[in-house]
Amino acid sequence: MTSLLCTLHDHRDDVNWCAFSAKLLATCSGDKTLRIYNTSDFSELSFSPLSGHGYSVHCCCFSPCGQFLASCSTDATTVVWSMVTGEIEAVMEHPGRSPVRICALSPDSIHMVSGASDGTLALWDFPSKQLRRTGAVNDTTMVACSFSPCSQVFMSGSTYGDLRLWDLNMNQLHAEKNAHDLGVTCCTFAPSGQVVQFRLASCGQDSLLKIWAINKFTYKMQLLHTLTGQSAPVLSCAYSSDGQLLVSGSVDKTVAVYDVFTVICFRYVTACSFSPTSPLIATGSMDKTVNIWRLEDGCSGRNSAGRLKLLVTDWSEEDVSEWLVEEGLERLVDKFRANNIDGTELLSLTKETLASELLIESVGLRNKLLRKVEELKSESACSGIPDEFLCPITRELMKEPVIAADGYSYEREAIESWINTKNRSSPMTNLPLLTTLLTPNHTLKMAIGRWKTSH
């Protein structure tokens, strides 16, 4: 069983990835930042957040020693950070300047691979941060990559749905086409293999998690298991440090640890990671939060994860009481219970009702409560922003949406900046833009305005 240890609320956009080292947890987001936490108490380090990327950060991974963190971004770079100082050690520009969607470090710390939206792979010498070789798969986007435990081969996965095994000379050793219908989303090697084979887990848009055996001598792949425990696209998967457990996160709002239990999380689960040294799992979500779960024999009671599945208007009186305690307003619990305040009534509270009906005399306490209620309303509204109202580049609500030559709508300032620095390529397709002409999207702007008014 699991219990929710804590929830981290620091990111301002979707959490795209999370990764553990022996002592740290790193998370990255569409808000362009990475945040670093101490796993002893999940306090944020003094140099966090890390803000060197210009656009959404898609992936991050620690070096095996934990001294360095690599991250990749839509800005077409992979950045290496010092985990001692938080300073940038190196910036590696991807060949072709295509948005980088995935990066992975070899267990021996000698190599790093990065994969991009144009289907290219770049193999780097990690100590020197120099490019060694490149490879490519046409007409696809690289979204998944993992090194084998021996560090001599690595697997890539793409939106085309194929899994491809490569050696360090960028030779394709095996191609498993149509491994996942509609596309691969993540793949990961088990940390230790058997005598003659590796184990690999992969997941995809087909809502499946698959376990593969890869022969170490012939490199042939054999499908061992197809796990169907989740009912929507599976976005991430990770092995425990001993290879005995496998966790996956899905669009169906669940995290599954095979084959022990399933726990429910709030909104789509986009990232998951096991701690190598503690019985902890981190899960990142499109609700901008990171949940830390503790593996244990059992858990009891209802925690905040259960409450967060509900709209605030559906909160019970007990849910409101739990929220008050979490926000440091525990002195109000008895008064709220006595007046049967549920979620709907919580959102309708005013200065007048707090003073005249609930008889809260402290002006400071009333103001603090109302600030927390406004934050709750804001979080509820932000969590429900339709994706088509968000700029694909900034992942922020658009104010001046315009249509570019690729047919997609962007925030005017963001796409103008992109065109000026990205050699007129499309952020969504990486193909050349036939023209830099931008057409105001009045229909979308009106729809956003109506949505803002109703929320």
Side-chain angles (χ1 to χ4, degrees):
M1 300 294 288
T2 63
S3 62
L4 182 64
L5 189 62
C6 63
T7 300
L8 308 175
H9 295 274
D10 300 304
H11 282 298
R12 296 296 176 262
D13 203 339
D14 299 357
V15 177
N16 294 326
W17 204 272
C18 49
F20 277 104
S21 70
K23 297 181 180 179
L24 301 175
L25 169 68
T27 62
C28 62
S29 168
D31 65 12
K32 311 174 190 178
T33 70
L34 297 102
R35 291 185 178 268
I36 316 299
Y37 303 89
N38 192 318
T39 55
S40 62
D41 58 2
F42 291 97
S43 59
E44 195 165 3
L45 270 58
S46 59
F47 56 70
S48 180
L50 306 178
S51 304
H53 283 292
Y55 297 100
S56 176
V57 188
H58 295 291
C59 177
C60 60
C61 56
F62 283 102
S63 61
C65 65
Q67 185 177 355
F68 301 102
L69 178 72
S71 61
C72 61
S73 167
T74 302
D75 64 14
T77 67
T78 302
V79 175
V80 179
W81 311 81
S82 166
M83 288 295 95
V84 177
T85 64
E87 298 294 324
I88 293 177
E89 295 284 324
V91 178
M92 289 98 93
E93 293 189 357
H94 196 84
R97 296 290 297 164
S98 181
V100 185
R101 297 294 304 276
I102 190 70
C103 60
L105 278 161
S106 62
D108 61 8
S109 297
I110 295 177
H111 297 99
M112 182 178 72
V113 66
S114 57
S117 295
D118 61 358
T120 59
L121 289 164
L123 185 68
W124 306 84
D125 179 84
F126 187 68
S128 67
K129 314 300 187 292
Q130 298 298 308
L131 180 65
R132 286 195 56 187
R133 290 180 176 84
T134 60
V137 180
N138 295 328
D139 302 322
T140 191
T141 295
M142 290 295 176
V143 292
C145 196
S146 179
F147 274 94
S148 65
C150 67
S151 299
Q152 299 305 300
V153 296
F154 64 91
M155 187 70 73
S156 68
S158 77
T159 53
Y160 185 76
D162 59 309
L163 290 167
R164 296 176 186 265
L165 189 66
W166 309 75
D167 65 15
L168 299 180
N169 292 316
M170 297 302 290
N171 297 312
Q172 284 192 40
L173 305 175
H174 181 78
E176 191 71 26
K177 297 183 179 180
N178 301 314
H180 287 275
D181 191 22
L182 305 178
V184 175
T185 53
C186 185
C187 67
T188 180
F189 275 98
S192 58
Q194 299 180 359
V195 176
V196 297
Q197 64 182 18
F198 301 116
R199 292 291 176 93
L200 178 91
S202 66
C203 53
Q205 298 288 345
D206 55 6
S207 308
L208 301 176
L209 179 63
K210 295 185 176 182
I211 311 298
W212 308 83
I214 303 171
N215 189 288
K216 293 183 179 180
F217 305 105
T218 65
Y219 298 115
K220 298 298 183 182
M221 291 179 62
Q222 177 186 0
L223 181 61
L224 298 179
H225 305 288
T226 299
L227 305 175
T228 59
Q230 290 167 303
S231 58
V234 184
L235 300 183
S236 58
C237 59
Y239 275 103
S240 60
S241 58
D242 60 5
Q244 299 301 304
L245 296 176
L246 180 63
V247 62
S248 63
S250 168
V251 171
D252 69 4
K253 309 179 186 181
T254 68
V255 174
V257 179
Y258 293 92
D259 49 0
V260 183
F261 54 84
T262 299
V263 293
I264 303 297
C265 285
F266 179 45
R267 297 203 69 195
Y268 298 172
V269 179
T270 55
C272 56
S273 179
F274 271 102
S275 167
T277 57
S278 305
L280 300 174
I281 299 173
T283 60
S285 169
M286 287 183 182
D287 66 3
K288 311 174 189 178
T289 68
V290 177
N291 279 344
I292 310 299
W293 307 88
R294 182 181 296 279
L295 296 170
E296 53 189 31
D297 293 335
C299 61
S300 60
R302 186 181 181 192
N303 55 40
S304 61
R307 187 181 70 251
L308 288 174
K309 288 187 294 176
L310 304 174
L311 295 172
V312 178
T313 51
D314 293 330
W315 283 9
S316 67
E317 296 172 20
E318 185 61 30
D319 291 327
V320 172
S321 296
E322 291 177 2
W323 176 79
L324 289 171
V325 172
E326 291 177 4
E327 298 297 339
L329 297 167
E330 55 275 356
R331 73 183 80 175
L332 297 178
V333 169
D334 291 341
K335 195 176 293 289
F336 271 55
R337 285 177 173 169
N339 287 274
N340 305 115
I341 303 296
D342 59 15
T344 299
E345 292 174 332
L346 175 67
L347 295 180
S348 65
L349 291 175
T350 64
K351 289 183 179 180
E352 291 72 23
T353 56
L354 290 177
S356 61
E357 297 180 22
L358 296 185
L359 304 178
I360 300 175
E361 297 179 356
S362 170
V363 175
L365 190 57
R366 292 201 300 264
N367 289 339
K368 180 179 180 181
L369 174 61
L370 290 174
R371 283 198 304 271
K372 294 295 184 181
V373 171
E374 286 304 313
E375 290 175 6
L376 196 61
K377 291 179 181 178
S378 176
E379 290 171 0
S380 298
C382 290
S383 67
I385 299 177
D387 193 65
E388 60 268 25
F389 293 173
L390 301 175
C391 173
I393 298 174
T394 65
R395 298 301 298 168
E396 296 173 357
L397 187 66
M398 286 185 277
K399 299 177 182 177
E400 292 294 332
V402 294
I403 304 173
D406 59 1
Y408 291 93
S409 292
Y410 304 91
E411 178 64 35
R412 178 181 290 278
E413 183 179 354
I415 189 61
E416 287 178 344
S417 176
W418 180 277
I419 290 173
N420 290 335
T421 59
K422 301 295 177 181
N423 197 26
R424 293 179 56 175
S425 63
S426 165
M428 298 298 287
T429 68
N430 200 49
L431 297 175
L433 294 171
L434 299 180
T435 175
T436 58
L437 180 66
L438 302 174
T439 305
N441 192 336
H442 297 297
T443 302
L444 180 57
K445 185 175 182 178
M446 291 174 60
I448 293 174
R450 289 194 297 269
W451 181 86
K452 290 173 65 176
T453 300
S454 64
H455 288 74

